[in-house]
Amino acid sequence: MSCIARNELRTPSRNTRLEHAIRTVLLSALLLVPALAAGADETKPPLRLCADPTNLPFSSDDPGKPGLYLEIGQAVAQKLGRTVSTNWYKSYFGKRTVRETLLSKQCDAMVGLPLIDDFMGPAVIFTKPIAHEGYALVGGKDRKLAGIDDLRGLRVAVQYQSTPQNLLALRDDVQKVTVLSPEEGMAALEQGKVDIAFIWAPVAGWLNKTSYGDRYQIVSTEGDGLLWATAIGFAKASGALRDEVDGVLPGLQPEIAALFAKYGVPNGAPVKFGEADRATTSSVGASEPVTVGQAAAAEKPIQTAATAGDAKGDAKGDAKGNAKGDATAGREVFNGTCAHCHGPDAVQAERKIDLRLLKKRYADDMESTFWKTVHDGRPAKGMPAWKDVFNDDELRNVYVYLQSVQDTGESN
């Protein structure tokens, strides 16, 4: 997904909160009625699902369009003889979403998590795969899109800091056009600015179905960092519930396939594209999948200049002007939230958003610029405000981490 948060965080007005509450009640009723009609056991607790209220095609608090993941959850609940309740939480915070909902016991299950060995360590357990999701080639229905050589000589939209961008980076015979989101890629295709869009498949399929009259073909791709199995995730203590769900999933496969078609999300045989060029990106988090429609990043701690000694302290800093904080914690927040735009571990080839150049660019104003930017955002450039998401201690940790990765070489 794009670094421009499609569901930009903002403080809701009283009317907005009321509208959201009404929609939540309506959606709860919508999910409840089919379950009761199917004979839900009222003595059983509801199946509590974690979901994003504005993240179609995956989930929505709009009763008319609940979303792919919510409808899969509803189908599972019916098979288990349960009703459904929903805990809403914005999903573009990556693994923080999982920690603050599923692992904090705010809900029982999260549909659509990537089924990979190192996702959240042993804290999350998974069902059998329910589908495969990843990146797709989008183009006119008369185009041949059977492999990477079919892109030769064409203008191809690639999402910024994505596997497709890395995959095509060294292909001089392909003209790359960088976009920040699947929406922007589809718009460029529609406006004739590109010939092909190589973008996140679920959103491309949804937009093709709802905004572009199904006039494009969506061809899923397979290769290193291009496609992942997805499953339903549970906290590790919920093994019994996971096993129950695993028991009903085989009988739900036709219904799940129909739901993918309903929301335009590709789930067919992919085109093999081979391995992405790892030399063009950081080894940390570079090939991780999108989580609940958003990017996830690695959390393995590394040793930096800021973490080698005592990393914790106050905001005053030392005699050299280095702020005190926890760089390891700052790196975790950065890779879980900021890496999607600025690169895992701040490794970024595009200079204008390369945060390793902050000291060179702003010198003594680096810290004040950091605080103004993270507090207030730069909406015109796709940078959301984070002051209502992270407290100042968390943001200070991010700043300390960024201090540890500054480029100290000669200016160009």
Side-chain angles (χ1 to χ4, degrees):
M1 303 304 298
S2 129
C3 58
I4 301 176
R6 301 198 348 259
N7 313 312
E8 208 167 84
L9 189 68
R10 55 193 178 274
T11 302
S13 66
R14 182 176 180 181
N15 288 340
T16 301
R17 291 196 298 269
L18 178 60
E19 178 185 355
H20 179 75
I22 292 171
R23 292 173 73 179
T24 299
V25 170
L26 289 173
L27 181 58
S28 298
L30 182 72
L31 296 175
L32 179 63
V33 170
L36 292 177
D41 185 346
E42 295 184 17
T43 64
K44 290 184 177 180
L47 180 65
R48 301 177 304 155
L49 300 176
C50 313
D52 188 319
T54 51
N55 192 29
L56 286 171
F58 302 105
S59 59
S60 165
D61 63 358
D62 181 348
K65 297 189 288 284
L68 172 65
Y69 291 165
L70 273 186
E71 292 210 44
I72 289 175
Q74 178 190 357
V76 168
Q78 287 180 4
K79 284 286 189 180
L80 297 177
R82 294 192 184 199
T83 57
V84 171
S85 66
T86 309
N87 178 52
W88 302 115
Y89 193 93
K90 295 293 187 183
S91 65
Y92 59 78
F93 302 130
K95 292 181 180 179
R96 176 178 175 178
T97 299
V98 181
R99 284 194 296 270
E100 296 195 4
T101 55
L102 187 66
L103 301 185
S104 296
K105 301 181 180 180
Q106 301 301 307
C107 51
D108 304 313
M110 184 174 284
V111 181
L113 292 183
L115 188 56
I116 56 177
D117 292 338
D118 60 353
F119 182 76
M120 304 296 291
V124 177
I125 58 176
F126 300 92
T127 62
K128 299 168 185 173
I130 57 173
H132 289 80
E133 298 171 31
Y135 292 96
L137 296 167
V138 186
K141 293 188 175 181
D142 58 343
R143 283 197 179 275
K144 180 185 177 185
L145 296 175
I148 195 167
D149 287 339
D150 291 330
L151 306 183
R152 187 176 297 155
L154 300 181
R155 301 164 300 164
V156 180
V158 289
Q159 282 179 243
Y160 176 68
Q161 199 67 25
S162 68
T163 301
Q165 185 182 48
N166 298 332
L167 180 67
L168 299 180
L170 300 182
R171 292 287 301 231
D172 293 333
D173 55 351
V174 177
Q175 182 181 340
K176 281 77 67 179
V177 178
T178 303
V179 296
L180 295 177
S181 67
E183 291 89 343
E184 187 178 336
M186 291 295 290
L189 184 63
E190 179 72 7
Q191 295 163 9
K193 296 179 179 178
V194 298
D195 305 302
I196 300 293
F198 196 175
I199 54 180
W200 184 235
V203 176
W206 170 249
L207 292 173
N208 187 45
K209 183 179 181 68
T210 59
S211 301
Y212 296 103
D214 197 32
R215 55 179 163 269
Y216 297 109
Q217 60 172 318
I218 313 289
V219 179
S220 295
T221 59
E222 180 182 13
D224 186 23
L226 291 173
L227 188 72
W228 300 270
T230 56
I232 303 174
F234 305 82
K236 65 180 179 180
S238 300
L241 177 58
R242 188 273 309 273
D243 293 345
E244 278 190 76
V245 174
D246 258 341
V248 302
L249 280 179
L252 286 173
Q253 289 309 305
E255 188 170 346
I256 290 173
L259 288 172
F260 270 78
K262 174 181 176 179
Y263 286 94
V265 178
N267 194 25
V271 170
K272 181 70 176 178
F273 256 61
E275 293 190 356
D277 180 5
R278 295 299 188 92
T280 61
T281 187
S282 166
S283 63
V284 180
S287 297
E288 291 202 358
V290 167
T291 304
V292 201
Q294 302 299 325
E299 297 190 5
K300 298 176 183 177
I302 60 172
Q303 191 78 355
T304 68
T307 60
D310 181 11
K312 296 184 178 181
D314 57 31
K316 295 179 180 179
D318 59 22
K320 296 180 180 180
N322 294 318
K324 294 284 188 71
D326 188 336
T328 300
R331 177 181 178 270
E332 180 177 344
V333 171
F334 183 91
N335 277 340
T337 304
C338 315
H340 189 55
C341 282
H342 298 288
D345 290 338
V347 176
Q348 173 54 252
E350 190 169 345
R351 291 181 64 85
K352 65 181 180 180
I353 54 174
D354 186 348
L355 299 187
R356 297 169 298 175
L357 302 177
L358 289 175
K359 189 66 177 177
K360 287 184 176 180
R361 188 173 294 131
Y362 299 110
D364 292 341
D365 293 330
M366 173 180 166
E367 185 169 3
S368 61
T369 301
F370 169 84
W371 284 108
K372 178 172 177 55
T373 303
V374 297
H375 273 169
D376 302 332
R378 290 179 176 173
K381 296 185 178 181
M383 170 72 177
W386 296 107
K387 62 184 178 182
D388 294 323
V389 179
F390 298 106
N391 61 43
D392 279 356
D393 286 340
E394 292 172 308
L395 294 175
R396 184 177 298 112
N397 291 338
V398 172
Y399 179 72
V400 170
Y401 171 66
L402 289 175
Q403 281 187 313
S404 75
V405 297
Q406 290 306 295
D407 184 349
T408 58
E410 294 296 326
S411 300
N412 293 332

